[in-house]
Amino acid sequence: MADIADFANDLVQERIDQALAARSAFKPALPGHSLLFCESCDDPIPEARRQAQQGCTQCVNCQSIDEMREARHAR
């Protein structure tokens, strides 16, 4: 059975969620910073890829491997 503390907790959580949503709405949509080296294999990420896919963290080969893995596990 819920008591007054549970109701207060729910109210506080709702207010926190609202505040976070309002804060997120005001954040500018800036693209992430691309890494210079792949986080998976440490090979350099080509400049063209970093500019075309801002916020990338993996080289094309590692990204392709990850996407194939995700597609295989999504079934």
Side-chain angles (χ1 to χ4, degrees):
M1 183 188 293
D3 61 3
I4 191 81
D6 291 329
F7 290 121
N9 223 10
D10 291 344
L11 181 62
V12 169
Q13 186 62 51
E14 184 178 332
R15 296 270 170 92
I16 290 171
D17 293 343
Q18 289 173 350
L20 289 173
R23 182 178 175 177
S24 295
F26 288 113
K27 282 186 179 179
L30 296 175
H33 179 70
S34 296
L35 298 179
L36 294 176
F37 295 92
C38 177
E39 68 181 5
S40 298
C41 68
D42 289 329
D43 283 349
I45 299 174
E47 177 70 21
R49 173 164 170 72
R50 289 188 281 130
Q51 288 182 359
Q53 185 67 43
Q54 293 186 356
C56 66
T57 59
Q58 294 179 316
C59 65
V60 174
N61 290 334
C62 291
Q63 183 69 41
S64 297
I65 291 168
D66 277 356
E67 289 174 2
M68 284 189 287
R69 259 189 222 130
E70 288 175 12
R72 190 175 330 142
H73 293 293
R75 293 180 188 177

